[in-house]
Amino acid sequence: RNQMKRYLRQGLQELEPGIVPEVDFIIIARVGSQHLDYHQVKKNLTHVLKLANLYQESVFQKSVFQKSLQQESVEKGEIL
């Protein structure tokens, strides 16, 4: 439970520049979400916010996100 809270807080901090200002929302984690890793939580959070029209990625955010995915793949040995 605490790990999920940390994942959600971190994800929201990273997504904050693209979140519509002055809007309050409540996040309720579903059963089984405790088995997700941070990147899955952030991806799901981004998806839900986009569906609710509360999030819009900027070009800068997309490039930063793609670079972090590439770095992660390199670290895992998937891309050389």
Side-chain angles (χ1 to χ4, degrees):
R1 187 176 123 202
N2 290 331
Q3 184 179 29
M4 182 56 60
K5 285 182 189 179
R6 287 192 300 272
Y7 285 170
L8 289 170
R9 280 190 196 115
Q10 181 64 33
L12 286 170
Q13 278 183 339
E14 291 181 15
L15 297 173
E16 187 175 8
I19 295 176
V20 175
E22 299 182 18
V23 175
D24 294 332
F25 50 90
I26 297 172
I27 299 170
I28 300 172
R30 292 186 174 196
V31 174
S33 61
Q34 71 271 16
H35 301 294
L36 300 175
D37 66 18
Y38 169 71
H39 296 289
Q40 293 169 318
V41 170
K42 185 176 176 186
K43 180 180 175 183
N44 290 334
L45 186 58
T46 304
H47 177 71
V48 169
L49 291 171
K50 284 181 180 179
L51 285 177
N53 292 319
L54 296 175
Y55 181 74
Q56 200 139 51
E57 280 182 315
S58 70
V59 174
F60 173 74
Q61 288 170 322
K62 285 182 183 178
S63 67
V64 169
F65 181 69
Q66 288 173 346
K67 285 180 183 178
S68 70
L69 285 179
Q70 287 175 338
Q71 180 63 30
E72 184 179 308
S73 295
V74 169
E75 290 171 0
K76 288 181 179 179
E78 296 172 355
I79 298 175
L80 297 177

